Structures are given as structure tokens and as C-alpha cells.
Amino acid sequence: MDRRVAFVTGASRGIGKACAVHLARSGFDVAVTARTVLEGEAREHSSTVHRSDTRPLPGSLTSTADEVRAAGAAALVVPADLLDRASLGAAVATVLERWGPIDVLVNNGRYIGPGHMDRFLDTPLELLDRHLEANVMAPLVLLRGCLPAMLERGRGLVVHITSSAAWTDPPAPAGAGGWGLGYAMSKGAAHRVAGLLQEELADTGVVLVNVDPGFIATERMIQDMGDFGFDASAGAPPDVIGAVVAWLATTPDAGGWAGRIVPGQQLCHDRGLLPGWAGPVPNPV
């Protein structure tokens, strides 16, 4: 039986970690990438230019890889930075060299840092550049690395974790329950990739989808975002989206979602993909 390979970005915690673990449970060997390799690493993750926050966040590539292996799959740790295209290219090349073609690419990682929750006049333009580089260009770098082998074999799934911020105005200004321009405009640009490229790739066997996660209680949401007007206790668990991505990777019905928005929480509930979960939570928009 051919090895089935998944590559997940932003996999040290949150939605990315959940996708990696659920894909492993579904029979995929999983390559995981992010910046945090070991628990306790400190780096800047403040959402505002007005203060620094380098407190370690829970999660790491090492701990995610341990959970992937505990699920019975192989794990490959390939650290990379979304702001460093060379590191992304090297990560994909390593997976292709060691494991062969990638069947599922999950573009979940995004820019983490100042400017995310800052208002326009407080945000240096170079921080808007970082949002665009990490949230738009980095997924395209990875897609260009994975796509040729998908086309050659006539199959593949590319999942973009989108956000309703791509098409919905915030309920309040950035930092007070809303979000910054960099996040919204970069998510909006990335959101257009699946539908546009699906037209180019029709009848190739490659499926591109946007998965809208809704409000998810990630580790960073719990630790960081209360100061910006977000109550993580109201969010759904990351496993909801992990279960949806694993379903898309294994169902013959995935093609029906090609180029479309998958409403993650609603689909998980309707199909009973996460037993015991009560159902969708309201999005704070």
C-alpha cells in the first residue's frame, strides 16, 4: 500500500496540531512545520506594537509529533518560518526526499506578531507586509512545492484554513473585539486562492478547499486574546477542525467541496465527526 503523506503548517499547537493528530488517526504519516520545536521556547507573539509578550505558549512540534506517533503514524518535524521562503522550500524538499509525494497540504499557519490587533495608523507598513508574506505568499510557496507531484499522480487535497474576517467586517475596532487590517486583508487575499486555482486545476484530481473554522479556543486564544476582547471559553475545541480536515482527506465526497468554503463547525456537527461535541458556537463577528 502506498504511503499517504500529509503536510501541516502551524502544527505546534491549535488547529494545526489538531489537524496533524486527526490525519494520523486516519492513516496518514504527517510532516509538521512551525517555528516552535521544543516546549517552552520564548519568542515574540504579542498582537500589538504597544507591548511585548514573549511568554512561552503551550505546544511544540516535538509534542505534536509525539501525538502523531501515538496515533500509530510516522511523524517528521520540519521547522520553518512563514516569513522565510527558503525555509519553506527546504521543508517541502525534505518531505519529498524522505517520504515522497505529499497527498494533503494543510495551510493553517499564519503571521503571529504585532500589527494583528493594532489600528491602521498605529501599524507600521512593514507589519502589513509581514501579514501578506506569511498569510498569502507562504502558502503559495508551499503549494508550488507540492502541486507538481499531485498533478503527476492525478490526486491531492489542499486545505486553506480561512477566516470569516476575509469577507466580514469586524464588530468593533481592532483591539476591542475586532481585528487589524493586516489580518483581514491578508486572509481575504488567501481566501481567493482555492476558487481561482480550482478553475485551473479542474479535472486534474487535485481538490482545493477553504475550511472556515469559526471561533476556536486555541492555546493562544486562551492565553493572549482576552486582552483584545475575545472570550476563549466560548470557542469550539480545535479537534472540531482536525476532524473535518481528516474527513475531507479520506472521503470520496471531498470533490464536491472543490473551490468552496467548508463551514467547519457546521459540517462537523451535521456529520457527527466529533462524538460528544455539542455543536457550533457563535462567531464573534
Side-chain angles (χ1 to χ4, degrees), residues 104-134:
V104 178
L105 169 64
V106 182
N107 279 315
N108 162 73
R110 65 169 179 83
Y111 171 76
I112 300 294
H116 179 216
M117 288 290 164
D118 289 309
R119 302 185 187 192
F120 176 59
L121 289 180
D122 293 332
T123 307
L125 292 179
E126 58 265 27
L127 295 186
L128 300 181
D129 285 336
R130 291 183 187 179
H131 277 87
L132 292 168
E133 182 65 30

PDB file of all heavy atoms in Angstrom, residues 104-134:
ATOM      1  N   VAL A 104      -1.746  15.496   1.053  1.00  0.00           N
ATOM      2  CA  VAL A 104      -2.593  16.517   1.672  1.00  0.00           C
ATOM      3  C   VAL A 104      -1.716  17.646   2.198  1.00  0.00           C
ATOM      4  O   VAL A 104      -0.801  17.405   2.996  1.00  0.00           O
ATOM      5  CB  VAL A 104      -3.422  15.931   2.837  1.00  0.00           C
ATOM      6  CG1 VAL A 104      -4.255  17.026   3.506  1.00  0.00           C
ATOM      7  CG2 VAL A 104      -4.314  14.803   2.356  1.00  0.00           C
ATOM      8  N   LEU A 105      -1.988  18.864   1.745  1.00  0.00           N
ATOM      9  CA  LEU A 105      -1.316  20.056   2.256  1.00  0.00           C
ATOM     10  C   LEU A 105      -2.343  20.873   3.025  1.00  0.00           C
ATOM     11  O   LEU A 105      -3.385  21.249   2.474  1.00  0.00           O
ATOM     12  CB  LEU A 105      -0.750  20.891   1.107  1.00  0.00           C
ATOM     13  CG  LEU A 105      -0.239  22.291   1.468  1.00  0.00           C
ATOM     14  CD1 LEU A 105       0.950  22.225   2.425  1.00  0.00           C
ATOM     15  CD2 LEU A 105       0.135  23.069   0.206  1.00  0.00           C
ATOM     16  N   VAL A 106      -2.045  21.140   4.297  1.00  0.00           N
ATOM     17  CA  VAL A 106      -2.929  21.959   5.126  1.00  0.00           C
ATOM     18  C   VAL A 106      -2.223  23.270   5.428  1.00  0.00           C
ATOM     19  O   VAL A 106      -1.278  23.314   6.230  1.00  0.00           O
ATOM     20  CB  VAL A 106      -3.318  21.243   6.437  1.00  0.00           C
ATOM     21  CG1 VAL A 106      -4.273  22.127   7.245  1.00  0.00           C
ATOM     22  CG2 VAL A 106      -3.950  19.892   6.155  1.00  0.00           C
ATOM     23  N   ASN A 107      -2.670  24.339   4.783  1.00  0.00           N
ATOM     24  CA  ASN A 107      -2.114  25.674   5.011  1.00  0.00           C
ATOM     25  C   ASN A 107      -2.887  26.316   6.162  1.00  0.00           C
ATOM     26  O   ASN A 107      -3.909  26.986   5.957  1.00  0.00           O
ATOM     27  CB  ASN A 107      -2.219  26.523   3.744  1.00  0.00           C
ATOM     28  CG  ASN A 107      -1.111  26.231   2.761  1.00  0.00           C
ATOM     29  OD1 ASN A 107       0.050  26.124   3.143  1.00  0.00           O
ATOM     30  ND2 ASN A 107      -1.459  26.097   1.489  1.00  0.00           N
ATOM     31  N   ASN A 108      -2.400  26.066   7.360  1.00  0.00           N
ATOM     32  CA  ASN A 108      -3.050  26.567   8.563  1.00  0.00           C
ATOM     33  C   ASN A 108      -2.271  27.703   9.221  1.00  0.00           C
ATOM     34  O   ASN A 108      -2.856  28.618   9.785  1.00  0.00           O
ATOM     35  CB  ASN A 108      -3.214  25.420   9.572  1.00  0.00           C
ATOM     36  CG  ASN A 108      -3.470  25.933  10.972  1.00  0.00           C
ATOM     37  OD1 ASN A 108      -4.549  26.416  11.286  1.00  0.00           O
ATOM     38  ND2 ASN A 108      -2.451  25.830  11.831  1.00  0.00           N
ATOM     39  N   GLY A 109      -0.941  27.667   9.169  1.00  0.00           N
ATOM     40  CA  GLY A 109      -0.123  28.667   9.845  1.00  0.00           C
ATOM     41  C   GLY A 109      -0.383  30.066   9.313  1.00  0.00           C
ATOM     42  O   GLY A 109      -0.759  30.259   8.159  1.00  0.00           O
ATOM     43  N   ARG A 110      -0.176  31.052  10.174  1.00  0.00           N
ATOM     44  CA  ARG A 110      -0.355  32.451   9.775  1.00  0.00           C
ATOM     45  C   ARG A 110       0.610  33.320  10.558  1.00  0.00           C
ATOM     46  O   ARG A 110       1.280  32.863  11.477  1.00  0.00           O
ATOM     47  CB  ARG A 110      -1.792  32.909  10.015  1.00  0.00           C
ATOM     48  CG  ARG A 110      -2.199  32.927  11.481  1.00  0.00           C
ATOM     49  CD  ARG A 110      -3.533  33.632  11.659  1.00  0.00           C
ATOM     50  NE  ARG A 110      -3.986  33.654  13.026  1.00  0.00           N
ATOM     51  CZ  ARG A 110      -3.587  34.539  13.943  1.00  0.00           C
ATOM     52  NH1 ARG A 110      -2.686  35.462  13.629  1.00  0.00           N
ATOM     53  NH2 ARG A 110      -4.069  34.507  15.175  1.00  0.00           N
ATOM     54  N   TYR A 111       0.654  34.586  10.181  1.00  0.00           N
ATOM     55  CA  TYR A 111       1.515  35.547  10.881  1.00  0.00           C
ATOM     56  C   TYR A 111       1.070  35.702  12.326  1.00  0.00           C
ATOM     57  O   TYR A 111      -0.112  35.930  12.611  1.00  0.00           O
ATOM     58  CB  TYR A 111       1.472  36.900  10.181  1.00  0.00           C
ATOM     59  CG  TYR A 111       2.166  37.998  10.957  1.00  0.00           C
ATOM     60  CD1 TYR A 111       3.554  38.070  10.998  1.00  0.00           C
ATOM     61  CD2 TYR A 111       1.426  38.948  11.671  1.00  0.00           C
ATOM     62  CE1 TYR A 111       4.197  39.073  11.723  1.00  0.00           C
ATOM     63  CE2 TYR A 111       2.058  39.949  12.385  1.00  0.00           C
ATOM     64  CZ  TYR A 111       3.445  39.994  12.417  1.00  0.00           C
ATOM     65  OH  TYR A 111       4.071  40.979  13.139  1.00  0.00           O
ATOM     66  N   ILE A 112       2.007  35.590  13.249  1.00  0.00           N
ATOM     67  CA  ILE A 112       1.783  35.854  14.661  1.00  0.00           C
ATOM     68  C   ILE A 112       2.728  36.978  15.073  1.00  0.00           C
ATOM     69  O   ILE A 112       3.949  36.845  14.940  1.00  0.00           O
ATOM     70  CB  ILE A 112       2.061  34.610  15.529  1.00  0.00           C
ATOM     71  CG1 ILE A 112       1.139  33.455  15.136  1.00  0.00           C
ATOM     72  CG2 ILE A 112       1.935  34.933  17.014  1.00  0.00           C
ATOM     73  CD1 ILE A 112      -0.316  33.690  15.428  1.00  0.00           C
ATOM     74  N   GLY A 113       2.174  38.083  15.566  1.00  0.00           N
ATOM     75  CA  GLY A 113       3.035  39.177  15.996  1.00  0.00           C
ATOM     76  C   GLY A 113       2.328  40.507  15.984  1.00  0.00           C
ATOM     77  O   GLY A 113       1.130  40.610  15.687  1.00  0.00           O
ATOM     78  N   PRO A 114       3.046  41.551  16.316  1.00  0.00           N
ATOM     79  CA  PRO A 114       2.469  42.896  16.363  1.00  0.00           C
ATOM     80  C   PRO A 114       1.830  43.290  15.035  1.00  0.00           C
ATOM     81  O   PRO A 114       2.264  42.892  13.961  1.00  0.00           O
ATOM     82  CB  PRO A 114       3.680  43.782  16.689  1.00  0.00           C
ATOM     83  CG  PRO A 114       4.634  42.875  17.393  1.00  0.00           C
ATOM     84  CD  PRO A 114       4.458  41.535  16.729  1.00  0.00           C
ATOM     85  N   GLY A 115       0.786  44.101  15.147  1.00  0.00           N
ATOM     86  CA  GLY A 115       0.033  44.522  13.974  1.00  0.00           C
ATOM     87  C   GLY A 115      -1.253  43.759  13.796  1.00  0.00           C
ATOM     88  O   GLY A 115      -2.172  44.222  13.117  1.00  0.00           O
ATOM     89  N   HIS A 116      -1.346  42.618  14.420  1.00  0.00           N
ATOM     90  CA  HIS A 116      -2.535  41.789  14.289  1.00  0.00           C
ATOM     91  C   HIS A 116      -3.763  42.472  14.892  1.00  0.00           C
ATOM     92  O   HIS A 116      -4.862  42.419  14.338  1.00  0.00           O
ATOM     93  CB  HIS A 116      -2.279  40.446  14.982  1.00  0.00           C
ATOM     94  CG  HIS A 116      -3.434  39.497  14.940  1.00  0.00           C
ATOM     95  ND1 HIS A 116      -3.730  38.658  15.986  1.00  0.00           N
ATOM     96  CD2 HIS A 116      -4.370  39.249  14.001  1.00  0.00           C
ATOM     97  CE1 HIS A 116      -4.787  37.940  15.693  1.00  0.00           C
ATOM     98  NE2 HIS A 116      -5.192  38.279  14.491  1.00  0.00           N
ATOM     99  N   MET A 117      -3.583  43.116  16.042  1.00  0.00           N
ATOM    100  CA  MET A 117      -4.690  43.764  16.733  1.00  0.00           C
ATOM    101  C   MET A 117      -4.484  45.265  16.882  1.00  0.00           C
ATOM    102  O   MET A 117      -5.000  45.885  17.817  1.00  0.00           O
ATOM    103  CB  MET A 117      -4.895  43.114  18.109  1.00  0.00           C
ATOM    104  CG  MET A 117      -5.500  41.729  18.031  1.00  0.00           C
ATOM    105  SD  MET A 117      -7.232  41.798  17.513  1.00  0.00           S
ATOM    106  CE  MET A 117      -7.491  40.073  17.066  1.00  0.00           C
ATOM    107  N   ASP A 118      -3.700  45.857  15.995  1.00  0.00           N
ATOM    108  CA  ASP A 118      -3.450  47.297  16.043  1.00  0.00           C
ATOM    109  C   ASP A 118      -4.268  48.033  14.980  1.00  0.00           C
ATOM    110  O   ASP A 118      -4.565  47.484  13.917  1.00  0.00           O
ATOM    111  CB  ASP A 118      -1.954  47.580  15.810  1.00  0.00           C
ATOM    112  CG  ASP A 118      -1.111  47.154  16.993  1.00  0.00           C
ATOM    113  OD1 ASP A 118      -1.441  47.549  18.124  1.00  0.00           O
ATOM    114  OD2 ASP A 118      -0.133  46.416  16.790  1.00  0.00           O
ATOM    115  N   ARG A 119      -4.605  49.269  15.286  1.00  0.00           N
ATOM    116  CA  ARG A 119      -5.326  50.094  14.328  1.00  0.00           C
ATOM    117  C   ARG A 119      -4.368  50.610  13.250  1.00  0.00           C
ATOM    118  O   ARG A 119      -3.153  50.601  13.420  1.00  0.00           O
ATOM    119  CB  ARG A 119      -6.039  51.234  15.058  1.00  0.00           C
ATOM    120  CG  ARG A 119      -7.004  50.683  16.103  1.00  0.00           C
ATOM    121  CD  ARG A 119      -7.841  51.723  16.785  1.00  0.00           C
ATOM    122  NE  ARG A 119      -8.601  51.101  17.884  1.00  0.00           N
ATOM    123  CZ  ARG A 119      -9.597  51.705  18.532  1.00  0.00           C
ATOM    124  NH1 ARG A 119      -9.955  52.941  18.204  1.00  0.00           N
ATOM    125  NH2 ARG A 119     -10.216  51.075  19.509  1.00  0.00           N
ATOM    126  N   PHE A 120      -4.952  51.048  12.149  1.00  0.00           N
ATOM    127  CA  PHE A 120      -4.173  51.324  10.940  1.00  0.00           C
ATOM    128  C   PHE A 120      -3.034  52.317  11.173  1.00  0.00           C
ATOM    129  O   PHE A 120      -1.883  52.061  10.796  1.00  0.00           O
ATOM    130  CB  PHE A 120      -5.114  51.830   9.842  1.00  0.00           C
ATOM    131  CG  PHE A 120      -4.405  52.242   8.583  1.00  0.00           C
ATOM    132  CD1 PHE A 120      -3.618  51.345   7.881  1.00  0.00           C
ATOM    133  CD2 PHE A 120      -4.525  53.536   8.099  1.00  0.00           C
ATOM    134  CE1 PHE A 120      -2.967  51.713   6.717  1.00  0.00           C
ATOM    135  CE2 PHE A 120      -3.884  53.918   6.938  1.00  0.00           C
ATOM    136  CZ  PHE A 120      -3.094  53.008   6.252  1.00  0.00           C
ATOM    137  N   LEU A 121      -3.305  53.448  11.797  1.00  0.00           N
ATOM    138  CA  LEU A 121      -2.269  54.463  11.957  1.00  0.00           C
ATOM    139  C   LEU A 121      -1.212  54.067  12.988  1.00  0.00           C
ATOM    140  O   LEU A 121      -0.152  54.688  13.041  1.00  0.00           O
ATOM    141  CB  LEU A 121      -2.898  55.811  12.335  1.00  0.00           C
ATOM    142  CG  LEU A 121      -3.679  56.506  11.216  1.00  0.00           C
ATOM    143  CD1 LEU A 121      -4.247  57.821  11.701  1.00  0.00           C
ATOM    144  CD2 LEU A 121      -2.811  56.714   9.972  1.00  0.00           C
ATOM    145  N   ASP A 122      -1.507  53.052  13.779  1.00  0.00           N
ATOM    146  CA  ASP A 122      -0.516  52.536  14.733  1.00  0.00           C
ATOM    147  C   ASP A 122       0.325  51.413  14.148  1.00  0.00           C
ATOM    148  O   ASP A 122       1.268  50.957  14.806  1.00  0.00           O
ATOM    149  CB  ASP A 122      -1.219  52.011  15.989  1.00  0.00           C
ATOM    150  CG  ASP A 122      -1.880  53.102  16.799  1.00  0.00           C
ATOM    151  OD1 ASP A 122      -1.392  54.245  16.741  1.00  0.00           O
ATOM    152  OD2 ASP A 122      -2.883  52.807  17.478  1.00  0.00           O
ATOM    153  N   THR A 123      -0.014  50.974  12.948  1.00  0.00           N
ATOM    154  CA  THR A 123       0.629  49.784  12.374  1.00  0.00           C
ATOM    155  C   THR A 123       1.662  50.184  11.327  1.00  0.00           C
ATOM    156  O   THR A 123       1.310  50.700  10.262  1.00  0.00           O
ATOM    157  CB  THR A 123      -0.419  48.866  11.707  1.00  0.00           C
ATOM    158  OG1 THR A 123      -1.466  48.583  12.637  1.00  0.00           O
ATOM    159  CG2 THR A 123       0.222  47.561  11.253  1.00  0.00           C
ATOM    160  N   PRO A 124       2.946  49.956  11.573  1.00  0.00           N
ATOM    161  CA  PRO A 124       3.956  50.218  10.535  1.00  0.00           C
ATOM    162  C   PRO A 124       3.649  49.409   9.275  1.00  0.00           C
ATOM    163  O   PRO A 124       3.217  48.250   9.348  1.00  0.00           O
ATOM    164  CB  PRO A 124       5.258  49.756  11.190  1.00  0.00           C
ATOM    165  CG  PRO A 124       4.992  49.823  12.663  1.00  0.00           C
ATOM    166  CD  PRO A 124       3.545  49.461  12.826  1.00  0.00           C
ATOM    167  N   LEU A 125       3.872  50.004   8.135  1.00  0.00           N
ATOM    168  CA  LEU A 125       3.548  49.328   6.881  1.00  0.00           C
ATOM    169  C   LEU A 125       4.314  48.022   6.716  1.00  0.00           C
ATOM    170  O   LEU A 125       3.804  47.082   6.087  1.00  0.00           O
ATOM    171  CB  LEU A 125       3.815  50.260   5.696  1.00  0.00           C
ATOM    172  CG  LEU A 125       2.884  51.469   5.587  1.00  0.00           C
ATOM    173  CD1 LEU A 125       3.261  52.321   4.389  1.00  0.00           C
ATOM    174  CD2 LEU A 125       1.425  51.036   5.507  1.00  0.00           C
ATOM    175  N   GLU A 126       5.514  47.934   7.275  1.00  0.00           N
ATOM    176  CA  GLU A 126       6.259  46.679   7.135  1.00  0.00           C
ATOM    177  C   GLU A 126       5.574  45.524   7.859  1.00  0.00           C
ATOM    178  O   GLU A 126       5.770  44.360   7.491  1.00  0.00           O
ATOM    179  CB  GLU A 126       7.695  46.840   7.634  1.00  0.00           C
ATOM    180  CG  GLU A 126       7.840  47.287   9.076  1.00  0.00           C
ATOM    181  CD  GLU A 126       8.017  48.793   9.187  1.00  0.00           C
ATOM    182  OE1 GLU A 126       7.543  49.526   8.281  1.00  0.00           O
ATOM    183  OE2 GLU A 126       8.651  49.226  10.173  1.00  0.00           O
ATOM    184  N   LEU A 127       4.742  45.828   8.867  1.00  0.00           N
ATOM    185  CA  LEU A 127       3.988  44.753   9.519  1.00  0.00           C
ATOM    186  C   LEU A 127       2.846  44.268   8.638  1.00  0.00           C
ATOM    187  O   LEU A 127       2.479  43.091   8.680  1.00  0.00           O
ATOM    188  CB  LEU A 127       3.466  45.212  10.878  1.00  0.00           C
ATOM    189  CG  LEU A 127       4.528  45.525  11.933  1.00  0.00           C
ATOM    190  CD1 LEU A 127       3.882  45.824  13.283  1.00  0.00           C
ATOM    191  CD2 LEU A 127       5.526  44.376  12.074  1.00  0.00           C
ATOM    192  N   LEU A 128       2.288  45.163   7.835  1.00  0.00           N
ATOM    193  CA  LEU A 128       1.293  44.723   6.850  1.00  0.00           C
ATOM    194  C   LEU A 128       1.958  43.825   5.809  1.00  0.00           C
ATOM    195  O   LEU A 128       1.379  42.830   5.357  1.00  0.00           O
ATOM    196  CB  LEU A 128       0.630  45.921   6.189  1.00  0.00           C
ATOM    197  CG  LEU A 128      -0.113  46.881   7.116  1.00  0.00           C
ATOM    198  CD1 LEU A 128      -0.748  48.005   6.304  1.00  0.00           C
ATOM    199  CD2 LEU A 128      -1.172  46.149   7.926  1.00  0.00           C
ATOM    200  N   ASP A 129       3.184  44.170   5.429  1.00  0.00           N
ATOM    201  CA  ASP A 129       3.945  43.309   4.516  1.00  0.00           C
ATOM    202  C   ASP A 129       4.123  41.913   5.103  1.00  0.00           C
ATOM    203  O   ASP A 129       4.027  40.908   4.394  1.00  0.00           O
ATOM    204  CB  ASP A 129       5.321  43.907   4.232  1.00  0.00           C
ATOM    205  CG  ASP A 129       5.278  45.081   3.277  1.00  0.00           C
ATOM    206  OD1 ASP A 129       4.321  45.162   2.485  1.00  0.00           O
ATOM    207  OD2 ASP A 129       6.199  45.916   3.330  1.00  0.00           O
ATOM    208  N   ARG A 130       4.409  41.841   6.407  1.00  0.00           N
ATOM    209  CA  ARG A 130       4.611  40.533   7.038  1.00  0.00           C
ATOM    210  C   ARG A 130       3.332  39.700   7.016  1.00  0.00           C
ATOM    211  O   ARG A 130       3.375  38.483   6.804  1.00  0.00           O
ATOM    212  CB  ARG A 130       5.098  40.711   8.479  1.00  0.00           C
ATOM    213  CG  ARG A 130       6.508  41.257   8.581  1.00  0.00           C
ATOM    214  CD  ARG A 130       6.961  41.340  10.021  1.00  0.00           C
ATOM    215  NE  ARG A 130       8.246  42.019  10.145  1.00  0.00           N
ATOM    216  CZ  ARG A 130       8.864  42.241  11.288  1.00  0.00           C
ATOM    217  NH1 ARG A 130       8.305  41.842  12.422  1.00  0.00           N
ATOM    218  NH2 ARG A 130      10.024  42.876  11.313  1.00  0.00           N
ATOM    219  N   HIS A 131       2.203  40.353   7.253  1.00  0.00           N
ATOM    220  CA  HIS A 131       0.928  39.629   7.142  1.00  0.00           C
ATOM    221  C   HIS A 131       0.760  39.030   5.744  1.00  0.00           C
ATOM    222  O   HIS A 131       0.374  37.859   5.595  1.00  0.00           O
ATOM    223  CB  HIS A 131      -0.246  40.573   7.432  1.00  0.00           C
ATOM    224  CG  HIS A 131      -0.554  40.757   8.873  1.00  0.00           C
ATOM    225  ND1 HIS A 131       0.063  41.703   9.653  1.00  0.00           N
ATOM    226  CD2 HIS A 131      -1.429  40.118   9.689  1.00  0.00           C
ATOM    227  CE1 HIS A 131      -0.419  41.650  10.882  1.00  0.00           C
ATOM    228  NE2 HIS A 131      -1.324  40.687  10.931  1.00  0.00           N
ATOM    229  N   LEU A 132       1.016  39.840   4.736  1.00  0.00           N
ATOM    230  CA  LEU A 132       0.841  39.363   3.358  1.00  0.00           C
ATOM    231  C   LEU A 132       1.838  38.261   3.021  1.00  0.00           C
ATOM    232  O   LEU A 132       1.486  37.275   2.348  1.00  0.00           O
ATOM    233  CB  LEU A 132       0.984  40.533   2.382  1.00  0.00           C
ATOM    234  CG  LEU A 132      -0.143  41.568   2.450  1.00  0.00           C
ATOM    235  CD1 LEU A 132       0.234  42.821   1.676  1.00  0.00           C
ATOM    236  CD2 LEU A 132      -1.444  40.978   1.904  1.00  0.00           C
ATOM    237  N   GLU A 133       3.062  38.395   3.472  1.00  0.00           N
ATOM    238  CA  GLU A 133       4.072  37.374   3.194  1.00  0.00           C
ATOM    239  C   GLU A 133       3.710  36.052   3.853  1.00  0.00           C
ATOM    240  O   GLU A 133       3.761  34.992   3.222  1.00  0.00           O
ATOM    241  CB  GLU A 133       5.444  37.849   3.687  1.00  0.00           C
ATOM    242  CG  GLU A 133       6.580  36.870   3.409  1.00  0.00           C
ATOM    243  CD  GLU A 133       6.864  36.678   1.928  1.00  0.00           C
ATOM    244  OE1 GLU A 133       6.650  37.622   1.141  1.00  0.00           O
ATOM    245  OE2 GLU A 133       7.303  35.572   1.552  1.00  0.00           O
ATOM    246  N   ALA A 134       3.340  36.101   5.131  1.00  0.00           N
ATOM    247  CA  ALA A 134       3.068  34.869   5.870  1.00  0.00           C
ATOM    248  C   ALA A 134       1.730  34.238   5.506  1.00  0.00           C
ATOM    249  O   ALA A 134       1.618  33.011   5.415  1.00  0.00           O
ATOM    250  CB  ALA A 134       3.116  35.151   7.375  1.00  0.00           C
TER     251      ALA A 134
END
